[in-house]
């Protein structure tokens, strides 16, 4: 912003804007609130902004305020026509107009989306670029069947990024694969609602559900099925045992057999459990893709 021909007060205003908005926005998301003391809606919205900004401070969000009466030049530069006007600033540029997000929940939802899209890291956090190769290593080790080593890797990564949902989900699934289901459950149950709803966490919860089936005598279940192939309860229990033991193919086969014979049995529980099995494996996994095609061929033919 050019300063030639400006008053001393205007130059000070620009310098303050550089220090309080532009420079912090190079690494953080700055909520920029244009307000005035006489503005009633500003007084109502201000406490909401203060509260949310305080709660999101450790996620890489900062709050800056501009009094349109004191900083007329800045208000003019941003072409402010009414107040409150609230912008999200990143790397010195407006990236979103937050003015209409007047409730706490609306504002938080908008900030969550921006932080994710812009990949803004909390202050002092390990950059995602450093974490991703380590996560890939942990996932590779887990896929190769070395669950204890995967647990060790994910524990180390979590020390670096304690709130990263990919890391938490990977650690929980590794613990489940290592038969440490109690610790996995404790980790998953202790997460905030915001984290608990992330897809990486719901996948881990599905894996925990899959692994928590009680032990049963598969021999007895097979005898029941031999005597009555439509004993869906026995087949469903057989699938649960196979899921818990890690035999995903046999579990999928049993569930698909139930769906093919009676897709509405027990309010469609077999289909729900089948989808849970795919989620536990990972919806992007090639195996899951192949199983979805098998399900489609049953449902739509």
């Amino acid at each position: 912003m050019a300063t030639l021909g400006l008053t001393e007060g205007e130059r000070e205003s620009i310098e303050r804007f550089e220090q309080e908005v532009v420079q912090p926005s190079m690494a953080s998301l700055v909520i920029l609130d244009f307000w005035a003391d006489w503005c009633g809606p500003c007084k109502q919205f201000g406490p909401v902004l203060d509260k949310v900004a305080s709660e999101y401070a450790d996620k890489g969000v900062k709050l800056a305020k501009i009094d349109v009466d004191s900083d007329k030049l800045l208000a003019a530069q941003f072409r402010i026509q009414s107040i409150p006007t609230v912008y999200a600033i990143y790397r010195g540029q407006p990236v979103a107009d937050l003015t209409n997000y007047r409730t706490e929940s609306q504002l938080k939802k908008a900030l969550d989306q921006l932080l994710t899209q812009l990949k803004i890291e909390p202050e002092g956090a390990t950059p995602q670029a450093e974490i991703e190769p380590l996560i890939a290593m942990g996932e590779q080790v887990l896929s190769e069947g070395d669950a204890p080593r995967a647990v060790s890797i994910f524990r180390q990564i979590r020390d670096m990024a304690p709130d990263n949902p990919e890391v938490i989900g990977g650690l929980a699934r590794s613990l489940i694969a290592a038969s440490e289901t109690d610790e996995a459950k404790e980790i998953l149950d202790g997460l905030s609602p915001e984290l608990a709803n992330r897809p990486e966490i719901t996948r881990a919860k599905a894996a925990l559900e899959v692994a928590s089936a009680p032990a049963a005598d598969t021999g007895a279940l097979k005898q029941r099925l031999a005597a009555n192939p439509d004993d869906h309860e026995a087949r469903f229990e057989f699938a649960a045992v196979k899921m818990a033991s890690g035999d995903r193919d046999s579990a999928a086969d049993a569930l698909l057999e139930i769906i093919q014979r009676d897709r509405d049995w027990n309010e469609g529980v077999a289909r729900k459990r089948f989808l849970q099995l795919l989620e536990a494996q990972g919806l992007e996994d090639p195996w899951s893709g192949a199983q979805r095609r098998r399900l489609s061929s049953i449902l739509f033919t």
Side-chain angles (χ1 to χ4, degrees), residues 8-66:
E8 182 64 25
E10 289 172 337
R11 281 196 292 270
E12 290 177 357
S13 179
I14 291 172
E15 290 175 1
R16 188 167 59 252
F17 181 77
E18 289 283 340
Q19 294 173 0
E20 298 179 0
V21 178
V22 176
Q23 292 179 15
S25 76
M26 292 299 107
S28 302
L29 186 68
V30 177
I31 301 174
L32 183 58
D33 176 25
F34 289 89
W35 71 288
D37 187 58
W38 48 263
C39 171
C42 298
K43 293 180 179 179
Q44 295 177 339
F45 194 22
V48 176
L49 288 173
D50 292 340
K51 183 175 185 294
V52 172
S54 177
E55 292 179 3
Y56 275 64
D58 60 355
K59 299 181 181 182
V61 174
K62 298 182 183 296
L63 176 63
K65 292 177 177 287
I66 292 180

Side-chain angles (χ1 to χ4, degrees), residues 45 47-49 51-52 55-56 101-111:
F45 194 22
V48 176
L49 288 173
K51 183 175 185 294
V52 172
E55 292 179 3
Y56 275 64
Y101 299 102
R102 295 299 180 92
T103 69
E104 185 177 334
S105 61
Q106 289 174 339
L107 191 56
K108 286 182 176 180
K109 183 177 180 180
L111 290 176

Side-chain angles (χ1 to χ4, degrees), residues 206-251:
L208 180 61
E209 181 71 21
V210 164
S212 299
D217 181 2
T218 56
L221 294 172
K222 288 180 179 179
Q223 289 179 1
R224 286 174 57 184
L225 289 169
N228 179 14
D230 287 326
D231 187 343
H232 301 322
E233 184 176 345
R235 199 180 302 278
F236 188 77
E237 191 174 344
F238 177 82
V241 174
K242 290 300 181 180
M243 288 167 70
S245 68
D247 187 352
R248 61 185 186 181
D249 290 325
S250 295

